[in-house]
Amino acid sequence: MKIIGTIATFTICFTLIHFANTLAVMSVDLGSEWMKVGVVSPGVPMEIALNKESKRKTPAVISFKDNERLFGEDAQTLGIRFPKNAYMYLLDLLGKDINHPMVKLYQKRFPYYEIVENPERKTIMFKHDEDNIYSVEELLAQLLVKAKEFAEQAAHQPIKECVITVPGYFNQVERVALGEAVKLANLKLLQLINDYTAVALNYGIFRSKDFNDTTQYVMFYDMGASSTTATIVSFQNTKTKERGYMETHPELNIIGVGYDRTLGGLEMQLRLRDYLGNKFNEVKKTKNDVFGNNRSMAKLFKEAGRLKNVLSANIQHIAQIEGLLDEEDFKLPVTRQEFEDLIPDLLERVGLPVEKALKSAQLTKDVLNQVVLFGAGTRVPRVQEILREIVGQDLAKNLNTDEAAAMGAVYKAADLSTGFQVKKFITKDAVLFPIQVNFERETDSHLKQVKRTLFSLMNPYPQKKIITFNKYTDDFTFNVNYAELGYLNTEEVNNIGILNLTEVSLTGVRAAIEKHPLSENVESKGIKAHFQMDESGILHLINVELVVEKKIIEEDDEGTFSKLGSTISKLFGGEEKVEEKPDEKPNSPKVPQDPTNETQNQEEKKETIEEKIASNSSNSKNNTVKAKPQKPKIVTLKEPITVNIKSLNLMPLNEDQFLQSQKKLEKLNNIEKEVLRRSTALNNLETFVVDVQNKLLEDEYSEAVTAEDKEKILNLFSSISDWLYEDGADVDAATYEKKLESLRTETNPLFARVWEHRERPEALAALNSMLNHSTHFLESAKNLTDTVNPTKNVFTDKEVESLEKIISDTDEWLSKNVAVQEKLKKYEDVVLTVKSITEKMGLLDREVKYLVNKLRLWKPKKEEKVGKKDEKKSEDTINNATEGESRSEINETESVENERKSGNTEPNKEKSEPPHNEL
């Protein structure tokens, strides 16, 4: 990829506006095998957040062992030793019961997990041990919390909002379950975005300049770990009305999707794992079966994954595992052809998603402008060969197969967040599973089952739909279900699960109808149910209401002449009725008129009335006034209907269950924080003990302590070291912190003396340099007094004497204390401290600075001129010329003088305080 060009293009199309309290936002490409985190913060373009190993993607694995929770590669490593304790490939288990085909397949692939049923929700849970059971939502929530940590470390600020990618074939229950996992992670979900839509958005934002009114068709072929999807996307520019005028924006539409839920790299890896296991059993190095040992199978699974990746780039590689079973090593060369021979049925399914996508889009492969590969599974050479033969063109590899979805999703997150403004890119997704409304209608002889399609296959969303019921006069019930799924095979229909979604009961229908009895002027428009498919692809019943239209005819009984008389009477002092306008507030204050225009207004009114009288007299020659027929006014009335929704599918978390899960995760977080605190405290204590013991071997530290104190410190630290590896191995964090504090207290005097001896030479050099320069300045200053030089009397004798005294006192103090300090041993208390040296420097510096500023501002006196007027003019000229440049210097001089007079002799504290325990 051309990274530089990509960044440049992105800079053009992505603009960030920072509001005062804006937080960064993130995206999570939550796959079944890997997790990628995108982040965007104010002033920083979108980027991939790194994990603690500084890698751009993290294994979607979580493990538990002895109250320790691990994520990513650490969890993977633990999973090899304890496979049952590490949970992976969780995404496909969301929203499924224990009898679901995907759950059965998962148990077959990973037999060491103990999966049980939630008795209330009928969903599955992992039984970790006798005391701990975790739902899929809880495990995914913990992964999302870890993703949040990565994003916050990258953005250096808190993050609350996110966009999460989701497989496009996820149904309603699966999408709701993932939303609950996000909520458990204490995150605000901006949107669930289909993974292929995020990829298409990432593709489009860097190529928006290439789009025009002509539609471009691009197919994205994604083979991931668990599934494969082919998506046809149309790109073009479209005009929308924004802020009152038309604007042109790029737009992408999902118009065709084909997928295979179980075709992916995981199945290939499992085939390779079993192949390696059979080969190991064939050599009969041990009498035990490798397939009966969970730890051995975990090792084979990891090696199969590595081997699969290597064979994508090499035609042969050696699989090798140390101590696979019963301490027996395993080594086997494997060719790419042998690998492909293991998956012939999988390779036959590679082209099926392409055919399904073209069929649903009602297009042929000839119209495709480009076929873009995405997903790690597309790196398999044979997969690329098959695709190339099917589509009849070269395959584009200009997307980052690992990060495109996360980057597209974070762009969407920035667009949806209030803290950013991005270039608008319209995205329209499509419904994969049609939804219909089913209800019963009474006929003369029997009940008739009625089906009305709410969202058809490939209907765009987000979108609102209304279903109208015209025949009901009493309470009734209807169901919301998946529609006919004949375009899917039986296996995939079973994978969707329960096809019934909800049962909706409506009450209060008769009471609402009786409020508006039908008549000549009242017409019922039926009971309308308002549905919405939101941006996340989740269906909502917004509300149900009875809609009635009423005709209102406004009669006009007042004739022309009565109106005219009324107007004339108002003009000449008659009472005026205040008529309330519909768009005004009843008690709105009147705007007072200008009294100067009152007469003019009355004259204008008279002229208007006279014109009306003349017009009416000319139009009433036959003394007959024909009234125009009045058009009836249509008023729409809406009566809300009470709605009760009952789920016919797997139940979502209720409030109590959500709180229980939240408390469980909070307890795990607290345990993890305490574990981190304890490990940090233990590490700090161990480091300090070892460091001090090593430093006491150095002359610098050894000379700064007496032999008695040195032995005491060494004995103390030795006892702490022994305690750490004996009784102190299992204590809590507070005990470690207390021990460390006591050791610091014992060694603070030692470190303070070392610091003083280390810093004193530099401080003394600085003071001697200042004394030298001050002495030279003093000699010059003596020649600028009134006594020595009356024409250039910058300083007073008292000021020079004061500087001379300070220099003399400082020099005397320095000589005395240096002599005393040199006689002392390094382990004795310091007399000549760095703080005292800096105090002397500060006092001398202020005195010299005052005199230097006074010298800079001094001006010679001008000779007096004849006449006060000329003298004043000359003085004003001088003042004006020097006022600007001297004002700041005068202020500085006054400030120094005030400090000097006030006796403030506090020095610069840069080196006045020695640090404690400097290591």
Side-chain angles (χ1 to χ4, degrees), residues 59-72:
V61 185
I62 177 174
S63 68
F64 303 90
K65 183 69 170 63
D66 298 332
N67 286 331
E68 185 178 8
R69 184 173 53 173
L70 300 175
F71 297 90

Side-chain angles (χ1 to χ4, degrees), residues 61 63 73-86 88 112 293-303 321-324:
V61 185
S63 68
E73 293 185 359
D74 292 339
Q76 260 186 342
T77 302
L78 182 67
I80 295 175
R81 297 172 55 206
F82 307 99
K84 183 180 179 295
N85 293 0
M88 61 186 75
Y112 37 78
N293 188 291
N294 292 336
R295 184 174 297 183
S296 299
M297 292 302 293
K299 291 181 179 180
L300 285 171
F301 181 74
K302 180 181 180 182
E303 180 62 14
I321 305 173
E322 293 183 3
L324 175 59

Side-chain angles (χ1 to χ4, degrees), residues 632-754:
K633 181 180 180 182
I634 305 297
V635 178
T636 301
L637 304 176
K638 298 178 180 180
E639 286 292 335
I641 304 296
T642 303
V643 177
N644 181 34
I645 301 177
K646 176 184 177 182
S647 175
L648 300 178
N649 213 303
L650 296 180
M651 298 294 294
L653 288 170
N654 59 38
E655 185 176 354
D656 291 338
Q657 292 166 345
F658 182 84
L659 291 176
Q660 289 176 6
S661 295
Q662 209 170 35
K663 289 179 181 178
K664 186 189 298 184
L665 299 186
E666 186 177 352
K667 181 180 178 181
L668 289 171
N669 291 335
N670 292 335
I671 291 175
E672 187 174 70
K673 288 179 182 177
E674 188 61 29
V675 169
L676 178 62
R677 177 190 171 194
R678 182 182 180 279
S679 62
T680 302
L682 174 60
N683 181 67
N684 290 340
L685 180 59
E686 289 178 333
T687 301
F688 188 75
V689 168
V690 173
D691 203 12
V692 170
Q693 288 174 331
N694 290 335
K695 285 186 179 300
L696 286 176
L697 299 176
E698 302 174 8
D699 292 341
E700 183 181 23
Y701 288 86
S702 181
E703 293 174 356
V705 63
T706 63
E708 181 182 352
D709 289 341
K710 179 180 179 180
E711 184 179 359
K712 178 182 177 182
I713 292 174
L714 288 174
N715 290 336
L716 174 62
F717 276 68
S718 178
S719 64
I720 294 293
S721 180
D722 294 339
W723 173 82
L724 279 172
Y725 296 102
E726 294 174 0
D727 298 336
D730 299 321
V731 300
D732 57 11
T735 304
Y736 290 135
E737 292 168 349
K738 187 176 180 180
K739 292 284 185 183
L740 178 61
E741 186 62 29
S742 64
L743 294 182
R744 290 185 185 278
T745 302
E746 190 69 30
T747 55
N748 275 341
L750 166 62
F751 283 106
R753 287 192 296 271
V754 171

Side-chain angles (χ1 to χ4, degrees), residues 266-279 300-301 303-309 311 319 332 334-335 338-340 342-343:
L266 173 59
E267 185 60 31
M268 297 179 184
Q269 185 174 345
L270 290 168
R271 300 276 182 94
L272 200 51
R273 177 199 69 178
D274 295 343
Y275 173 77
L276 297 177
N278 288 323
K279 288 295 183 181
L300 285 171
F301 181 74
E303 180 62 14
R306 187 188 70 85
L307 187 61
K308 180 195 67 173
N309 294 334
L311 290 177
L332 178 72
V334 181
T335 64
E338 289 174 326
F339 169 54
E340 293 176 357
L342 298 174
I343 54 173

